[in-house]
Amino acid sequence: MAKQTGGCKDVTNSESTGTGTMSWWHLTLIGAGCTIGTGYFLGSAIGIKYAGPSFVISFIAAGAGTYIVYYHLAKMTAEDPQEGSFCYYAAKAFGKWAGFCCGWVYWWSNILIMGSQLTALALLSQFWFHWIPLWLLAGGYGILSLLIMLLGTKSFDKAENLFAVIKTSAIIMFIVIAALALFGVMEGDGKIPNFTYRSSTLLPEGFKGLWSSLIYAFYAYGGIEVIGLMALQLKKKKDIVKAGNVMLIILTIIYVTSLTFAVLLIATDAFNDKESPFVTALSLYDLPFFPHVFNGAVIIAGFSALTAALFAVTNLLVSLAKDGEAPIIFKKKLKTPRDLPLPSLLLGTAGMIASVVAAMLLPGKVYEYLTTAAGILLIYNWAFIILSAFKILNQKVFGKAMGILGLCFLFLAISGTILEKSIRFGFYVSLAVVLLTALAAFLMNKRWKMEELA
């Protein structure tokens, strides 16, 4: 099955040869660092807007769905560890066209993730610099991320572990302070809302709102596929199951706990997508340090995710070109000590510029649109992981039933975006990307068949 990886193999910039040195807990830490980002810290506010307090249910459902996806990815990886990860397994199960589609959909999802992160960083920075236009702040972060790429990634790679600790610490800090507030240890300027179990309180927009919010819960778990891509760096390849399970259990517990505390502390109509819901939840308490410290931690989280996404799209495009699945120009590298893949980097930069332009033209809605589209594209790849496992793994009834349940969760998350007019545009964007990728795969497939005959 050589050459069927769909181009995913270099996304982590790894030189792995199959004899890795990484321990499972280190991979768990990296996975958490890649997963926790502004999709959770800021995107949760959009989910709360649609679902109210019941958004916590969306996070539990998304956690279960994400576990099912990871379960199948880990099983395939433990049985047959490959650099291409989910792209390789898609190609192995359905043919080279499937690996090609997975690689390009993943590239596009990371382009949109960069746009989402850029916009989120600009929105969060307006907490301090509200007079600076959104697009200008987004452009500043884009330039800074590009400079890191030009200067080299070694120091940033080492900083990723620190960023993971900062992100997790920010959530735990909120949980501790919120617990003190809820149990009356701290007194605020307002009264904690009297929480009732009426449907109008739990589901302010009915089940449609809960359904539409699912995509934002799933997006907060986006990043688990990176563990599959880095599996070859493990000392023991079978430890990928343990690494992912521990990460998902910890993430689900702190996600659900922190969100529950947030919706208990303040009325849900106070939340908005211009501010982290965790800052809003503690806004009635005399904590002058908290908004600044938390906002700074979230910006660090978002910037690390932005730069990681730029690394991913740059290296992934080089790999696609090497496999003949992208124009040959994108595999070229400048002859420098770092072998900079300039053409690939320039295309990723063009994606960032498009996001800045979108922020300038649609300052009120661009974050929702980009987050929705990026989340849907990730879910398309997750669906391919489960479908690939159906063909590759020799599963019993329980494993197949889990897979079907996982596909149902993913279908609900995607279809929920069609119901809400304000986020439907993101669905159309994702659909356009998939149709263009499918057309390209069809044309490439004809070329591959002709090459085989020749």
Side-chain angles (χ1 to χ4, degrees):
M1 298 300 292
K3 288 287 220 185
Q4 288 200 341
T5 61
C8 276
K9 65 187 178 191
D10 288 334
V11 71
T12 58
N13 207 19
S14 162
E15 298 298 329
S16 179
T17 60
T19 55
T21 57
M22 188 183 293
S23 61
W24 69 266
W25 62 265
H26 190 192
L27 185 57
T28 298
L29 190 63
I30 290 173
C34 292
T35 303
I36 301 171
T38 56
Y40 172 68
F41 284 121
L42 187 61
S44 298
I46 306 173
I48 293 171
K49 181 176 75 174
Y50 294 123
S54 64
F55 188 49
V56 175
I57 299 170
S58 292
F59 256 90
I60 296 170
T66 305
Y67 171 78
I68 293 169
V69 172
Y70 185 77
Y71 169 85
H72 287 85
L73 177 60
K75 285 284 185 183
M76 289 188 290
T77 304
E79 196 174 281
D80 181 22
Q82 294 289 338
E83 286 185 350
S85 188
F86 55 90
C87 299
Y88 173 86
Y89 303 128
K92 183 178 179 180
F94 300 106
K96 195 170 182 179
W97 67 268
F100 173 90
C101 287
C102 277
W104 273 106
V105 167
Y106 191 62
W107 185 87
W108 275 108
S109 69
N110 273 279
I111 285 288
L112 291 171
I113 285 169
M114 285 197 304
S116 174
Q117 300 289 357
L118 271 176
T119 311
L121 288 168
L123 286 167
L124 292 164
S125 297
Q126 283 187 330
F127 177 77
W128 294 307
F129 310 107
H130 54 85
W131 63 89
I132 300 179
L134 194 71
W135 67 270
L136 195 57
L137 287 167
Y141 282 112
I143 291 168
L144 190 57
S145 182
L146 183 60
L147 284 173
I148 288 175
M149 280 293 294
L150 293 171
L151 292 171
T153 66
K154 264 190 177 179
S155 57
F156 187 80
D157 287 343
K158 292 176 182 177
E160 276 297 305
N161 289 341
L162 176 61
F163 291 152
V165 172
I166 290 172
K167 298 173 193 182
T168 310
S169 299
I171 302 174
I172 293 171
M173 177 177 67
F174 170 79
I175 290 172
V176 171
I177 295 173
L180 293 174
L182 284 169
F183 290 109
V185 178
M186 291 190 327
E187 292 187 5
D189 297 332
K191 188 180 178 183
I192 292 175
N194 187 15
F195 195 76
T196 59
Y197 293 92
R198 293 194 304 269
S199 61
S200 59
T201 305
L202 286 171
L203 296 162
E205 290 195 24
F207 283 101
K208 187 185 88 166
L210 179 63
W211 195 348
S212 298
S213 74
L214 265 173
I215 190 67
Y216 298 104
F218 269 101
Y219 185 61
Y221 287 97
I224 57 151
E225 64 282 344
V226 173
I227 293 187
L229 290 164
M230 297 187 73
L232 287 185
Q233 297 184 41
L234 281 170
K235 291 176 188 173
K236 298 178 182 177
K237 306 301 178 285
K238 292 189 183 296
D239 279 350
I240 185 174
V241 178
K242 187 196 300 184
N245 287 349
V246 171
M247 185 198 78
L248 281 173
I249 289 168
I250 292 172
L251 280 186
T252 302
I253 289 171
I254 63 175
Y255 276 1
V256 171
T257 303
S258 56
L259 272 174
T260 302
F261 284 0
V263 297
L264 287 175
L265 278 169
I266 198 167
T268 51
D269 57 7
F271 296 103
N272 65 84
D273 58 5
K274 304 291 187 293
E275 182 179 70
S276 173
F278 308 106
V279 172
T280 305
L282 292 175
S283 59
L284 299 178
Y285 294 85
D286 186 21
L287 298 167
F289 71 91
F290 180 79
H292 300 281
V293 172
F294 196 87
N295 209 54
V298 177
I299 286 173
I300 289 172
F303 186 74
S304 74
L306 166 67
T307 310
L310 184 57
F311 291 163
V313 297
T314 301
N315 291 309
L316 178 55
L317 191 54
V318 171
S319 187
L320 286 165
K322 284 179 179 176
D323 285 347
E325 297 172 3
I328 196 169
I329 190 174
F330 292 115
K331 75 176 183 180
K332 291 186 177 179
K333 296 183 179 182
L334 292 183
K335 290 183 178 179
T336 66
R338 290 179 294 277
D339 289 333
L340 186 70
L342 187 61
S344 177
L345 179 59
L346 287 175
L347 190 61
T349 304
M352 286 202 298
I353 292 170
S355 301
V356 174
V357 172
M360 185 168 59
L361 298 175
L362 301 164
K365 285 290 178 184
V366 66
Y367 181 67
E368 279 188 66
Y369 292 158
L370 290 171
T371 302
T372 305
I376 294 172
L377 288 175
L378 279 175
I379 287 176
Y380 289 151
N381 261 343
W382 287 11
F384 245 119
I385 288 171
I386 295 176
L387 293 171
S388 301
F390 282 163
K391 291 203 71 174
I392 292 172
L393 297 176
N394 184 21
Q395 296 190 98
K396 295 183 179 178
V397 175
F398 178 73
K400 290 178 180 176
M402 272 184 67
I404 292 168
L405 179 62
L407 289 173
C408 289
F409 276 128
L410 299 181
F411 173 77
L412 284 172
I414 293 170
S415 58
T417 63
I418 304 171
L419 299 176
E420 193 64 52
K421 185 179 178 182
S422 61
I423 59 175
R424 201 176 297 154
F425 182 74
F427 170 76
Y428 294 144
V429 170
S430 74
L431 201 59
V433 168
V434 169
L435 290 174
L436 285 171
T437 305
L439 177 61
F442 175 75
L443 296 173
M444 291 295 292
N445 207 39
K446 290 180 74 173
R447 193 181 107 183
W448 293 326
K449 285 182 179 178
M450 288 175 64
E451 287 174 355
E452 285 175 9
L453 291 171

